[in-house]
């Protein structure tokens, strides 16, 4: 006869097995659905028509007065490829790009039915909603696995390519937390601290062929379209880093977010106002595990290619700051911070981010990772003055809602959200 405690234990295990099975089945069905809907069979093959070298339109008198000349007398660059990497504050940057795009009435190259370009499949121009040969789009910025030749079919040749990196140990921690449950080989990791257990002996658990495995090894390199399972000393790694450096005009660093935005403004001739931001999609502090120095070292070792990538672009980043001027940078960062604080006081109820449960409007609810509500959001203040009302709302709107506002049909993403609501994930 099992004791009561054993009975409870068995019940618990049984429940978690059931949950695993249901999760597996639903995931598999959804993936099949995704692939059926976004498979290349439905791609109509268009004759190849090159995109014009530049999509810049002659500014209309109206446009010139509204948003024409930037602060330095240069013309703001509206053709931008933003390579949205995972877990790198890129949702905050997307909000900036969406607002900039609306202000200049640009044409975005959006995905259809979902909020990414069939990630993790490599980008293909046919994934763009409303693509037609020779069409000119201005900004592309949703998640994709980078594919240089295909992106070039959508954007003008003089578009600015920009991306953002994060220190790979922190990125790994964040990705493990956010995507862990979607990676079947993590289900067998035992113990309370799965991350530490994984890093103790990654080879024991990691399966390069495993479903979603790329989330846990050199994710940045993978997002940038490269093979994340190469040995770190393979010459192809260096070659890929050089190719990325050639293609991307600016590689920002999350750890120096304001400096990054100032460099962006400088490179693209934007206004300070374009850069205003609230941190979107941030995680509750209590769910962020502080890596010990040992774990950090192991995580960097495990993500050795991303670490090389990061160090390379860290060097070029500070070289750019040097050219910009240290004092000038310090001044501009201080101004941006001051204006962000000012905006927070104007727009945000209570002045700071809150738990999902305390967000009043569904329009302000951020998307949550499976299994918990750890992502924070905001409440828009009630009596915002008329001059700021629109900007406040835009700055606080989470990514999916903003995409919907911009006319993107997200039915697959939404269906997935409903399934999760029903199952309480
Ligand atoms: C980044 O570069 C700066 C300036 O050269 C250096 O002080 C810092 O240690 C570098 N950081 C990393 C992570 O390599």
């Amino acid at each position: 006869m099992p004791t009561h405690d054993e009975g409870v234990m068995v019940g618990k295990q049984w429940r978690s097995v059931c949950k695993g099975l249901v999760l597996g089945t639903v995931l598999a069905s959804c993936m099949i659905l995704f692939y059926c809907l976004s498979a290349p069979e439905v791609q109509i093959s268009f004759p190849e028509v090159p995109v014009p070298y530049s999509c810049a339109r002659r500014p209309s008198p109206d446009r010139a007065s509204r948003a024409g000349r930037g602060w330095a007398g240069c013309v703001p660059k509206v053709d931008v490829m933003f390579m949205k990497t995972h877990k790198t504050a890129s949702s905050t940057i997307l909000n900036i790009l969406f607002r900039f795009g609306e202000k200049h009435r640009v044409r975005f190259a959006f995905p259809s039915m979902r909020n990414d370009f069939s990630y993790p499949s490599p980008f293909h121009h046919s994934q763009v909603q409303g693509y037609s040969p020779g069409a000119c789009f201005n900004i592309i910025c949703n998640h994709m696995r980078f594919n240089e030749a295909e992106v070039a079919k959508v954007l003008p040749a003089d578009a600015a390519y920009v991306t953002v990196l994060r220190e790979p140990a922190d990125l790994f921690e964040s990705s493990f937390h956010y995507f862990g449950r979607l990676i079947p080989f993590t289900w067998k990791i035992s113990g309370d601290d799965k991350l530490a257990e994984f890093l103790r002996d990654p080879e024991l658990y990691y399966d390069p062929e495993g479903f979603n495995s790329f989330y846990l090894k050199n994710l940045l390199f993978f997002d940038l379209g490269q093979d994340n399972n190469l040995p770190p000393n393979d010459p192809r790694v260096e070659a890929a880093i050089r190719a990325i450096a050639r293609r991307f005009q600016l590689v920002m660093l999350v750890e120096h977010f304001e400096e990054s935005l100032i460099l962006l403004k400088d490179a693209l001739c934007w206004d300070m106002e374009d850069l205003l931001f609230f941190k979107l999609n941030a995680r509750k502090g209590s769910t962020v595990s502080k890596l010990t120095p040992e774990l950090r070292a192991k995580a960097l070792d495990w993500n050795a290619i991303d670490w090389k990538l990061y160090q390379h672009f860290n060097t070029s980043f500070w070289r750019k700051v040097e050219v910009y001027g240290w004092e000038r940078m310090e001044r501009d960062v201080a101004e941006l911070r001051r204006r962000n604080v000012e905006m927070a006081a104007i727009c945000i109820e209570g002045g700071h981010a809150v738990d999902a449960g305390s967000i009043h409007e569904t329009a302000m609810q951020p998307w949550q990772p499976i299994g918990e509500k750890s992502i924070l959001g905001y409440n828009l203040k009630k009596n915002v003055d008329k001059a700021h009302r629109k900007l406040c709302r835009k700055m606080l709107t989470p990514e999916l809602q903003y995409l919907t506002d911009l006319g993107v049909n997200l039915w697959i993403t939404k269906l997935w959200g409903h399934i999760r609501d029903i199952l309480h994930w």
Side-chain angles (χ1 to χ4, degrees):
M1 271 290 282
T3 63
H4 174 69
D5 275 0
E6 279 168 25
V8 171
M9 283 279 288
V10 170
K12 254 189 163 165
Q13 276 174 1
W14 178 235
R15 261 208 306 282
S16 83
V17 168
C18 281
K19 245 185 148 171
L21 278 175
V22 176
L23 177 64
T25 314
V26 172
L27 274 180
S29 321
C30 285
M31 287 326 286
I32 291 167
L33 194 67
F34 280 1
Y35 284 118
C36 292
L37 290 164
S38 53
E41 292 86 88
V42 291
Q43 289 165 7
I44 308 150
S45 77
F46 290 111
E48 301 261 317
V49 178
V51 179
Y53 177 76
S54 172
C55 295
R57 298 145 300 179
R58 248 171 259 115
S60 63
D62 168 51
R63 189 167 163 269
S65 61
R66 196 180 61 252
R69 302 236 149 223
W71 56 278
C74 48
V75 178
K77 181 105 192 145
V78 295
D79 302 313
V80 182
M81 192 285 150
F82 174 61
M83 175 56 222
K84 186 179 195 288
T85 46
H86 283 89
K87 314 319 299 166
T88 52
S90 55
S91 296
T92 304
I93 300 175
L94 232 59
N95 185 279
I96 290 172
L97 286 166
F98 288 162
R99 282 187 282 128
F100 178 82
E102 282 192 298
K103 170 172 152 187
H104 292 273
R105 312 213 179 157
V106 310
R107 185 162 179 208
F108 284 96
F110 281 131
S112 66
M113 301 185 282
R114 45 193 280 184
N115 62 327
D116 60 59
F117 291 104
S118 305
Y119 186 85
S121 304
F123 178 77
H124 189 273
H125 68 273
S126 63
Q127 293 154 353
V128 173
Q129 183 177 299
Y131 174 81
S132 66
C136 224
F137 291 90
N138 301 107
I139 297 183
I140 193 165
C141 57
N142 290 77
H143 276 308
M144 67 164 72
R145 185 156 183 227
F146 189 60
N147 182 348
E148 185 172 345
E150 285 298 314
V151 171
K153 292 179 186 169
V154 181
L155 291 187
D158 68 346
Y161 283 57
V162 176
T163 189
V164 57
L165 305 181
R166 180 175 178 187
E167 197 267 350
D170 289 330
L171 181 118
F172 175 80
E173 190 277 328
S174 180
S175 184
F176 197 98
H177 172 90
Y178 199 92
F179 299 112
R181 289 172 219 239
L182 294 173
I183 309 165
F185 67 68
T186 65
W187 298 349
K188 58 175 188 270
I189 304 175
S190 56
D192 289 336
D193 194 348
K194 285 178 184 254
L195 180 110
E197 175 54 26
F198 177 85
L199 286 175
R200 195 185 54 77
D201 187 4
E203 298 293 353
L204 180 65
Y205 299 105
Y206 182 74
D207 169 11
E209 304 296 323
F211 182 65
N212 280 344
S213 67
F214 54 86
Y215 282 124
L216 292 190
K217 191 173 191 185
N218 299 315
L219 178 56
L220 293 170
F221 202 61
F222 181 87
D223 281 353
L224 285 159
Q226 309 295 330
D227 178 358
N228 62 320
N229 289 308
L230 287 175
N233 290 322
D234 193 299
R236 280 171 289 178
V237 171
E238 285 298 327
I241 293 176
R242 278 198 304 275
I244 294 164
R246 266 198 308 275
R247 181 65 277 188
F248 287 85
Q249 178 174 350
L250 175 64
V251 176
M252 305 187 278
L253 304 177
V254 177
E255 290 77 10
H256 304 282
F257 200 68
E258 282 91 352
E259 287 86 347
S260 294
L261 292 179
I262 300 293
L263 289 181
L264 181 74
K265 167 172 98 72
D266 189 49
L268 306 185
C269 181
W270 288 12
D271 285 327
M272 189 65 99
E273 185 178 271
D274 299 328
L275 306 181
L276 297 177
F277 72 92
F278 302 132
K279 231 171 140 182
L280 295 180
N281 229 18
R283 204 170 14 143
K284 216 189 297 185
S286 60
T287 66
V288 180
S289 52
K290 192 91 187 75
L291 292 172
T292 61
E294 291 76 29
L295 280 180
R296 181 171 298 278
K298 281 184 186 165
L300 291 180
D301 197 39
W302 174 244
N303 295 283
I305 298 182
D306 274 6
W307 185 217
K308 275 193 174 175
L309 187 73
Y310 186 84
Q311 287 174 302
H312 180 101
F313 288 104
N314 177 57
T315 306
S316 49
F317 183 86
W318 292 111
R319 224 181 289 133
K320 284 202 165 93
V321 174
E322 171 129 50
V323 171
Y324 188 83
W326 297 103
E327 273 173 38
R328 182 175 165 218
M329 178 57 85
E330 208 174 309
R331 245 192 345 262
D332 287 354
V333 166
E335 186 191 338
L336 178 56
R337 291 207 173 124
R338 183 183 59 70
R339 293 184 60 175
N340 279 334
V341 169
E342 209 174 87
M343 282 310 287
I346 294 171
C347 305
I348 302 173
E349 190 70 57
H352 54 80
V354 292
D355 273 6
S358 311
I359 302 169
H360 309 315
E361 262 183 276
T362 42
M364 294 282 151
Q365 278 293 351
W367 183 260
Q368 298 290 345
I370 284 215
E372 56 178 48
K373 300 228 151 147
S374 54
I375 303 296
L376 301 175
Y378 298 94
N379 286 310
L380 178 63
K381 238 185 191 173
K382 279 184 195 73
N383 302 310
V384 181
D385 62 275
K386 202 153 177 255
H388 292 101
R389 205 173 297 155
K390 253 189 167 159
L391 178 59
C392 284
R393 178 164 282 281
K394 284 183 199 294
M395 286 181 71
L396 291 171
T397 301
E399 183 174 330
L400 295 185
Q401 287 89 329
Y402 210 141
L403 280 169
T404 306
D405 293 347
L406 291 172
V408 184
N409 173 357
L410 294 172
W411 74 268
I412 293 185
T413 309
K414 285 183 179 162
L415 174 67
W416 177 226
H418 290 314
I419 294 172
R420 287 179 43 182
D421 280 347
I422 293 163
L423 297 170
H424 294 291
W425 274 329

